[in-house]
Amino acid sequence: MATEIDILQFSKQCNDIFEQISRDVVGQKEVVEGTIIAMIAGGNVLLEGVPGVGKTRLVRTLGRVFDMPFSRIQFTPDLMPADVTGTNIIVKGEDGNAKFEFQPGPIFSNIVLADEINRATPKTQSALLEAMQEHKVTVMGVTRKLDEPFFVLATQNPIEQDGTYPLPEAQMDRFMFKLIVPNPSLDELMDIVNMTQKTMDEVSDCACTGEQLIQMRATANQIPVAEDVMRYAMTLTSATHNNSEYASEAAKKYVRLGASPRAGQAIISAAKVKALIKGRFNVAYSDVNELAYPVLRHRIKMNFEAIAERVSADDVIGMIIEELSKKYKI
Amino acid sequence: MKTEELLKKYRARLTKEAILKSLAFGLLIGLSALVVSGFIVWMTGYKNYWISFVVFAVVTAAAFALFYFLKFKPNDYYVARRVDALGLEERVITMKEFQGESDYIFERQREDAASALSKVSETLLKISIPLALLIILPVVFLLGTGTTVLSALSAEGVIRSGGDIIRTVEEERNKRFYEVTYVVEGNGIVIDEEIQIVEAGKNTNPVMAIAEDEWAFMMWSDGYEDPVRFEANVFENMKIIAYFVPASGDSPFQGNGDKSKEGDQAGDRPGQNGKPGPNGMEGEGDGNSESDDANDQPGGNAGGGKYDPANQIIDGQTYYGGDLYNEYNEKAAEALSQDESIDKEMKEYLENYFKIIAE
């Protein structure tokens, strides 16, 4: 049951979070907002951008702004699953006998930065699956629960594809958002250079604890969603399938595989947070439409025709939204 | 404040829109009924054309009521959607849907919606009537008034009813016409109309075969030898050839021992002296018997043909046998005067015709 205090606290903490992040990250407003929305909604985020646009810096800043244990894993082709999850090692007990003791890997943290996630082998990438979805890790038959809140913030580089392993669909689906980190604008670039000429240190402070973040999530969850809006969001998700009852013309033409039900859940969860961040106590069609891009773009698999015509997932999402907007007279 | 009260002024606005829409659709249906009833009245020639106005009024009223109550009457849900479309980001529809909830967050949502509503005037709700409807209405109105005027004029006897017109057209369409063509072989002409379109069962206009100098008219292709002819009771397309032969020399059409066929044709001809062909007077020759006068006439008729005193070439000119005309005309006039079955007007007409032929 949300109270007035919860609402005020949500609003204050959001402002604080954005303010602190802006001390270290210049521009990238949509990426920052998307990441915060996903974190409040309890989702993992995949950041995609060319080298040097601030992906890792943003995640490091988030680790500091949210006063929670933060760990970073640099994914490489020789990284092993045990390097992520941890493993049992032989230690000498107090009684002098050797025994197995679990040595937790970097996944045992609240915020995990999986840097250049597509450079690890599928086997190692798969080590994250259970953690990302169920917030649990199973090693040697023993399942251990991860501390809440738990997030994986992964980065990947869309170029330099040699020696990389594209993430499998199952793992892609576990990222709530895929955010495209653009190159900064000229003004932003000047600000970045001016800021880093003074100091390379990151100066942001803690603005939110893990408990507060969980409370924010609980508050946002109570935002009501009208049936019409909910139906629209689910239709949007279904419309990405080329063979569903609600398949859009764009999906029929360009999509090989549509979004999973997780996408529908993600849109609604994230839309509630977005509405509350905007100071609104209900979810609007506009929230759904704006969030459709980060939620759906990595869940839609394009067919050969789309690739041949250079039609991107974002283009298809735009077409679907346009088609549904006419149908729903939005 | 309750949701209904908050939406009251918007509902009033949208009710006006609903009434206008229902009226427009009602008029469309009513005018369509007027078109149909006006058309039916005009077609049937029914005298009480005012029935169309009654049909129009009843159908319009019924359609208006049906459209308003079943289709356009705004409910809270519709009002909420329309108001939200003014930029309220689904605040009103959410408020409406969760109006029974009492948690703090729902109360805040209602406050937020009410606050947003207070900034939106009901006049921003544009009353919208489909453009297509506005275009179709005048067209249907014109059609409706048009058919009603037609039915009224028909009922008053100013114009014919649609049924009458259709019957006339049908009759006209059922008429059949045939083509009768007169062509020439040899040096001569056919006057007057060489190609004639004749309604089934009717007669053609008379034509005359006239030979050029040093040529003579021989006969028509059906064996008929009178240069003046017309076809009576035409029921098929016909092509009739007028044969002309040189005034001197042999003619392929002159009778001899080998030309019995021509003789037969002459004997079988349907009539002579401009009398109606197939149904005219019986031919004089029989083609199978020798003619009494055949041996005395130029060209001979050894093949059984009949000598005709007309169409002789005298001093290079064709003699058409005017005295025979006169003789037969007199006989015809006499027969005509004695025939009681022909009425007076027809008799006068035929008598004039005989005079013209004689001249």
Side-chain angles (χ1 to χ4, degrees):
Chain A
M1 218 63 83
T3 62
E4 186 174 1
I5 296 167
D6 293 330
I7 301 294
L8 290 173
Q9 202 164 357
F10 185 97
S11 176
K12 180 181 177 302
Q13 276 163 353
C14 273
N15 289 336
D16 288 350
I17 291 166
F18 284 117
E19 188 185 329
Q20 289 303 322
I21 290 174
S22 67
R23 292 176 68 186
D24 282 334
V25 178
V26 176
Q28 311 288 13
K29 196 179 169 191
E30 284 180 16
V31 177
V32 171
E33 187 188 79
T35 311
I36 300 299
I37 288 171
M39 289 182 75
I40 295 174
N44 306 298
V45 178
L46 175 63
L47 297 165
E48 185 176 280
V50 294
V53 289
K55 302 185 293 291
T56 308
R57 186 180 177 98
L58 169 64
V59 178
R60 273 205 318 271
T61 305
L62 286 169
R64 204 168 33 257
V65 168
F66 290 97
D67 186 21
M68 290 180 278
F70 170 83
S71 62
R72 172 178 178 165
I73 310 168
Q74 188 66 46
F75 278 60
T76 57
D78 58 351
L79 189 76
M80 299 302 289
D83 297 331
V84 176
T85 60
T87 188
N88 287 325
I89 57 170
I90 300 171
V91 294
K92 190 179 271 187
E94 289 174 1
D95 57 359
N97 292 329
K99 63 172 183 179
F100 279 111
E101 186 180 295
F102 181 68
Q103 182 67 40
I107 195 84
F108 286 88
S109 184
N110 289 105
I111 300 175
V112 176
L113 166 57
D115 210 10
E116 299 197 76
I117 190 170
N118 56 337
R119 294 207 175 278
T121 60
K123 186 179 179 182
T124 307
Q125 290 173 5
S126 299
L128 286 171
L129 287 178
E130 188 184 11
M132 288 173 74
Q133 182 59 32
E134 296 166 39
H135 296 190
K136 291 177 190 166
V137 173
T138 303
V139 178
M140 301 288 281
V142 179
T143 302
R144 295 178 175 82
K145 202 166 180 346
L146 298 170
D147 289 341
E148 291 292 341
F150 174 80
F151 310 99
V152 173
L153 305 176
T155 69
Q156 73 173 10
N157 184 349
I159 57 168
E160 297 174 5
Q161 296 296 308
D162 291 344
T164 63
Y165 302 91
L167 297 179
E169 276 73 27
Q171 185 144 17
M172 277 292 200
D173 199 29
R174 282 164 169 77
F175 285 105
M176 178 181 260
F177 285 176
K178 177 183 177 183
L179 298 168
I180 307 295
V181 186
N183 279 311
S185 66
L186 188 65
D187 288 340
E188 288 169 353
L189 191 57
M190 287 181 68
D191 290 343
I192 290 167
V193 173
N194 283 332
M195 188 169 76
T196 52
Q197 287 299 304
K198 291 171 189 166
T199 175
M200 286 297 286
D201 293 342
E202 290 162 3
V203 294
S204 53
D205 290 326
C206 167
C208 183
T209 64
E211 290 75 26
Q212 286 170 330
L213 189 63
I214 290 170
Q215 181 58 44
M216 288 171 79
R217 186 184 304 167
T219 305
N221 261 338
Q222 294 181 44
I223 294 295
V225 185
E227 192 184 336
D228 266 17
V229 180
M230 179 77 85
R231 187 172 296 279
Y232 173 75
M234 296 310 111
T235 309
L236 182 56
T237 308
S238 296
T240 60
H241 292 265
N242 59 14
N243 55 357
S244 82
E245 187 185 346
Y246 304 98
S248 63
E249 291 305 313
K252 284 178 190 166
K253 191 173 181 188
Y254 295 120
V255 175
R256 179 164 57 87
L257 182 69
S260 71
R262 280 198 190 100
Q265 293 172 324
I267 286 178
I268 292 299
S269 300
K272 287 177 173 182
V273 177
K274 189 175 178 78
L276 200 51
I277 286 176
K278 285 181 174 176
R280 193 167 4 93
F281 297 90
N282 64 281
V283 174
Y285 291 121
S286 57
D287 299 325
V288 174
N289 286 344
E290 285 169 26
L291 291 166
Y293 292 92
V295 170
L296 298 176
R297 64 164 64 108
H298 56 295
R299 290 179 161 100
I300 295 175
K301 296 297 160 200
M302 312 301 285
N303 63 15
F304 177 77
E305 194 170 350
I307 295 164
E309 292 182 22
R310 297 178 186 277
V311 174
S312 68
D314 280 12
D315 294 334
V316 170
I317 294 164
M319 291 178 208
I320 295 172
I321 288 172
E322 195 179 331
E323 199 178 315
L324 287 185
S325 297
K326 284 179 190 162
K327 188 177 169 187
Y328 277 75
K329 295 176 183 171
I330 297 170
Chain B
M1 195 183 282
K2 283 189 175 178
T3 309
E4 285 73 20
E5 288 173 27
L6 284 170
L7 297 179
K8 197 175 174 183
K9 56 183 180 179
Y10 304 100
R11 183 197 300 278
R13 175 92 173 162
L14 291 175
T15 301
K16 282 180 195 167
E17 182 191 80
I19 289 170
L20 283 174
K21 271 186 182 174
S22 304
L23 195 60
F25 276 100
L27 275 172
L28 182 66
I29 304 291
L31 286 170
S32 302
L34 182 66
V35 172
V36 173
S37 65
F39 185 72
I40 290 171
V41 169
W42 176 57
M43 288 299 291
T44 56
Y46 188 56
K47 299 295 176 191
N48 297 325
Y49 59 87
W50 50 264
I51 200 83
S52 297
F53 296 110
V54 176
V55 169
F56 165 70
V58 170
V59 172
T60 302
F64 168 78
L66 284 174
F67 272 107
Y68 181 75
F69 289 108
L70 299 181
K71 174 87 176 157
F72 295 122
K73 188 183 177 189
N75 56 21
D76 286 347
Y77 179 79
Y78 177 74
V79 174
R81 280 206 69 168
R82 286 290 300 273
V83 177
D84 273 336
L86 297 175
L88 267 64
E89 298 187 300
E90 287 64 65
R91 283 180 171 90
V92 183
I93 201 165
T94 309
M95 174 176 70
K96 171 68 193 154
E97 196 170 320
F98 297 95
Q99 61 183 344
E101 301 286 343
S102 57
D103 287 354
Y104 174 74
I105 201 107
F106 295 107
E107 284 176 12
R108 282 300 304 272
Q109 198 280 323
R110 284 192 281 274
E111 284 171 20
D112 181 41
S115 165
L117 269 175
S118 66
K119 295 169 190 163
V120 177
S121 164
E122 73 275 15
T123 53
L124 290 173
L125 284 172
K126 299 292 177 203
I127 290 178
S128 66
I129 294 174
L131 181 63
L133 185 62
L134 295 177
I135 293 170
I136 292 170
L137 259 181
V139 176
V140 184
F141 174 77
L142 285 176
L143 283 173
T145 49
T147 51
T148 310
V149 167
L150 275 180
S151 63
L153 291 175
S154 164
E156 297 298 331
V158 179
I159 60 169
R160 295 165 67 197
S161 72
D164 281 349
I165 293 172
I166 286 179
R167 274 192 293 278
T168 308
V169 170
E170 198 65 30
E171 284 168 11
E172 287 293 320
R173 192 191 298 163
N174 288 338
K175 280 183 182 171
R176 286 169 297 159
F177 293 87
Y178 297 106
E179 186 177 276
V180 178
T181 310
Y182 298 95
V183 293
V184 169
E185 196 168 305
N187 286 13
I189 56 168
V190 171
I191 60 169
D192 167 37
E193 296 172 66
E194 292 180 355
I195 299 172
Q196 299 188 27
I197 306 297
V198 186
E199 191 184 331
K202 295 292 173 68
N203 302 347
T204 63
N205 292 329
V207 294
M208 180 182 275
I210 300 173
E212 290 183 0
D213 288 351
E214 297 182 2
W215 282 73
F217 170 72
M218 185 62 189
M219 63 178 175
W220 299 95
S221 53
D222 58 1
Y224 189 56
E225 294 176 345
D226 195 327
V228 177
R229 70 178 289 156
F230 68 93
E231 316 310 316
N233 213 13
V234 175
F235 276 103
E236 60 183 353
N237 289 328
M238 299 170 82
K239 183 178 179 184
I240 298 158
I241 304 167
Y243 293 111
F244 293 91
V245 292
S248 59
D250 293 334
S251 165
F253 307 110
Q254 285 176 336
N256 56 46
D258 300 327
K259 298 286 183 178
S260 59
K261 197 169 183 185
E262 278 77 21
D264 289 346
Q265 285 178 346
D268 292 342
R269 69 179 184 268
Q272 280 191 328
N273 295 337
K275 300 298 184 298
N279 297 326
M281 296 166 70
E282 191 179 306
E284 290 181 3
D286 59 14
N288 295 324
S289 61
E290 290 183 5
S291 168
D292 294 343
D293 303 326
N295 294 332
D296 302 332
Q297 303 306 322
N301 273 322
K306 177 189 173 295
Y307 168 73
D308 191 335
N311 302 326
Q312 296 181 68
I313 310 301
I314 301 170
D315 296 333
Q317 300 295 318
T318 303
Y319 168 65
Y320 291 111
D323 49 350
L324 276 176
Y325 271 117
N326 294 336
E327 182 189 338
Y328 285 121
N329 275 338
E330 282 167 11
K331 284 182 181 176
E334 189 181 340
L336 185 67
S337 62
Q338 290 170 358
D339 193 338
E340 297 298 328
S341 63
I342 303 172
D343 62 32
K344 190 181 172 187
E345 282 184 7
M346 181 58 77
K347 277 183 180 177
E348 284 176 3
Y349 177 79
L350 291 171
E351 281 166 3
N352 288 333
Y353 178 68
F354 293 145
K355 283 177 188 170
I356 290 165
I357 292 173
E359 287 165 3

